Amino acid sequence: MMIISILASIGFVLAVTTFIAGFRMIKLKEQRAEASLHRLNGYLTIIFYVTVATVSIIHGTGILYILAWLLGLVIHIFKLVLVKKGLAVRYGGYLGAMLILTWIVVIYTHLPTYIF
Amino acid sequence: MHNTLFTKTLTILLTFSYISFPILSLASKEINVPEDFKSIILAVNHASNDDVIVVAPGHYSENIIIEKPLTLRSRNGALTTIISSDDPKKPVLNINKTKGVRIIGFTIEGSERSGIYIYKSAENKILNNVVKNNYNGIHLNYGRDNIIKDNSSDENVTGIYLYFSDNNEISSNNANSNVDKGIVLHESHQNRILKNQVVDNTWNGITLTSSTKNVIKKNTVVKNTFPLVITNKSVDNIVEDNKTMRRIHLIVPVILIYLAIFMYLVERKIFITYYRIKE
């Protein structure tokens, strides 16, 4: 469906920007800007993730797909929990990589069909 | 009285055996290659109508013409039973002006014409074959009411080609990675193209030229340059429930990553400016 492809594309772009900002946050220069960017895009990414998952499930998927969507959501929430507990610097990189992989799976399974 | 009864019984028995013997002798028989005949051609030539030719695993280099109803099947499946074209300029298997042929479970390769060629033939079944490295993998020329099912017709120039062929069923086949097109219908009508995988062909996935009233349903047609090509003269076709995607779509995620990098740089600039103004 085109709408899922568009939502997934936007979410993927946000996820990549968040990922870049997350890694650059470890540099001291302009850390506030990177942190704000990372936080804003991160929350937007979660919103888009939930939206794409909801639209996808509404249009009919099997139990395995629902479980896969749930697993991705768990990774997103786990990242937030780690940040709240102050463990982001130690474990954030690994979770960031898992999140970007999750989004790569999302974008390839909803490969944009709006280009003819 | 007893003699009359005996005579009547004997007459009935003799009449019955006189009638039944030819019928029994007409029952299809099984011919084994290479046990009964060394080559498939010899087996086909010596077979009677409706015989079953069972071919042992091996590599056979032949061009076979079939002009009578019979079943040609492998003993152990396509992976181990390979028929290569002895003369590349001829089809490997040529079903010529006949009915009721079944070709089951072969790997067919090496023809610069067709792997399986069905010419002016009807009601044949081509099942569970691997047809590769030919010009046309499976080619129907004025064929009708044939069933082409569960075959792989990959790595040919054209996977499956229907020319002036009507009312055939092409279902559950693979037509992948062909140099030109996956499935082509030219001047072919009322065919059913169902549940095929048509993937990664260089040009068109499924092509219809001057072909009408065909049903193209539930096919997966992805990673071709053009998934479905239907010319103006091809009308009244039912095309639904197919999964299509062009090859170019695969580079979209890469484009999105470049867009994300650009967006990151713009956002970063905005946030830096914002915090500087705030200070």
Side-chain angles (χ1 to χ4, degrees):
Chain A
M1 284 191 57
M2 198 186 287
I3 184 69
I4 296 181
S5 295
I6 293 171
L7 289 171
S9 302
I10 297 170
F12 183 68
V13 168
L14 287 166
V16 173
T17 58
T18 310
F19 184 68
I20 296 170
F23 268 106
R24 287 183 63 87
M25 266 167 61
I26 59 173
K27 291 189 176 183
L28 292 173
K29 196 175 177 184
E30 312 293 358
Q31 198 180 27
R32 273 192 308 176
E34 304 282 358
S36 299
L37 199 164
H38 180 73
R39 204 174 301 124
L40 172 67
N41 284 4
Y43 284 125
L44 287 173
T45 305
I46 294 174
I47 292 169
F48 272 91
Y49 181 87
V50 171
T51 311
V52 173
T54 308
V55 175
S56 182
I57 289 168
I58 286 171
H59 282 90
T61 50
I63 188 75
L64 278 176
Y65 292 108
I66 294 172
L67 286 173
W69 282 116
L70 281 172
L71 178 64
L73 186 63
V74 162
I75 297 172
H76 281 86
I77 292 169
F78 194 47
K79 171 70 163 52
L80 285 174
V81 167
L82 274 185
V83 169
K84 296 293 179 202
K85 286 189 179 292
L87 296 169
V89 173
R90 198 168 166 189
Y91 298 110
Y94 299 108
L95 272 175
M98 284 172 70
L99 283 168
I100 205 71
L101 280 172
T102 304
W103 271 101
I104 288 171
V105 170
V106 169
I107 199 70
Y108 265 101
T109 51
H110 296 87
L111 215 57
T113 55
Y114 45 74
I115 295 175
F116 298 101
Chain B
M1 193 170 112
H2 288 292
N3 280 339
T4 311
L5 183 61
F6 174 75
T7 310
K8 278 185 183 174
T9 309
L10 188 62
T11 309
I12 291 168
L13 280 172
L14 282 171
T15 309
F16 179 74
S17 63
Y18 180 74
I19 294 168
S20 66
F21 178 71
I23 294 171
L24 287 170
S25 69
L26 283 173
S28 61
K29 60 181 187 294
E30 186 172 291
I31 300 171
N32 293 287
V33 174
E35 292 86 351
D36 297 327
F37 295 95
K38 280 194 175 169
S39 71
I40 303 172
I41 294 174
L42 281 174
V44 167
N45 292 342
H46 284 85
S48 305
N49 288 0
D50 299 319
D51 279 354
V52 177
I53 301 173
V54 181
V55 181
H59 196 141
Y60 302 83
S61 186
E62 310 188 32
N63 296 90
I64 303 155
I65 300 176
I66 301 174
E67 293 174 317
K68 63 185 99 164
L70 52 80
T71 298
L72 179 63
R73 65 174 179 86
S74 65
R75 190 169 296 157
N76 288 357
L79 282 177
T80 54
T81 319
I82 301 166
I83 310 176
S84 301
S85 189
D86 185 42
D87 181 353
K89 297 200 182 336
K90 295 179 182 175
V92 180
L93 275 167
N94 184 347
I95 300 172
N96 188 42
K97 295 179 187 173
T98 186
K99 279 186 177 185
V101 174
R102 277 134 187 73
I103 309 291
I104 305 169
F106 292 95
T107 295
I108 295 164
E109 59 184 21
S111 170
E112 290 168 15
R113 278 195 60 189
S114 309
I116 300 175
Y117 181 58
I118 299 175
Y119 179 64
K120 288 188 177 176
S121 299
E123 297 172 24
N124 304 292
K125 290 185 181 176
I126 311 298
L127 308 171
N128 296 109
N129 300 287
V130 174
V131 188
K132 59 179 186 172
N133 298 324
N134 305 285
Y135 190 82
N136 296 314
I138 300 173
H139 182 179
L140 276 67
N141 194 342
Y142 293 94
R144 61 177 299 121
D145 300 315
N146 299 287
I147 295 176
I148 315 295
K149 195 173 177 185
D150 292 324
N151 302 285
S152 289
S153 191
D154 304 335
E155 298 174 21
N156 306 286
V157 174
T158 302
I160 300 173
Y161 182 33
L162 273 65
Y163 183 81
F164 284 89
S165 297
D166 301 337
N167 205 40
N168 301 284
E169 179 181 316
I170 314 293
S171 65
S172 302
N173 301 287
N174 291 339
N176 304 331
S177 305
N178 294 290
V179 172
D180 189 15
K181 302 178 179 77
I183 298 176
V184 178
L185 276 68
H186 178 75
E187 289 279 5
S188 298
H189 314 285
Q190 296 179 306
N191 297 286
R192 299 170 300 288
I193 315 296
L194 309 168
K195 297 182 187 175
N196 300 287
Q197 297 272 326
V198 187
V199 176
D200 201 22
N201 297 287
T202 304
W203 288 108
N204 306 349
I206 298 177
T207 307
L208 271 66
T209 57
S210 303
S211 299
T212 65
K213 296 181 184 168
N214 298 287
V215 177
I216 318 284
K217 242 177 155 179
K218 296 188 179 176
N219 301 285
T220 297
V221 191
V222 298
K223 289 171 69 179
N224 307 283
T225 302
F226 304 104
L228 287 166
V229 176
I230 301 176
T231 62
N232 289 344
K233 288 184 183 174
S234 299
V235 295
D236 294 333
N237 294 292
I238 297 171
V239 181
E240 45 186 54
D241 266 340
N242 299 290
K243 182 178 174 185
T244 60
M245 186 166 62
R246 292 178 64 181
R247 191 196 314 275
I248 194 168
H249 292 141
L250 295 175
I251 69 164
V252 170
V254 176
I255 295 170
L256 290 176
I257 289 172
Y258 280 108
L259 185 63
I261 294 170
F262 175 75
M263 186 175 146
Y264 163 77
L265 293 170
V266 169
E267 274 193 273
R268 185 170 176 272
K269 195 77 181 170
I270 293 170
F271 275 105
I272 289 171
T273 310
Y274 169 74
Y275 280 112
R276 281 192 185 152
I277 292 170
K278 205 175 171 187
E279 282 163 8

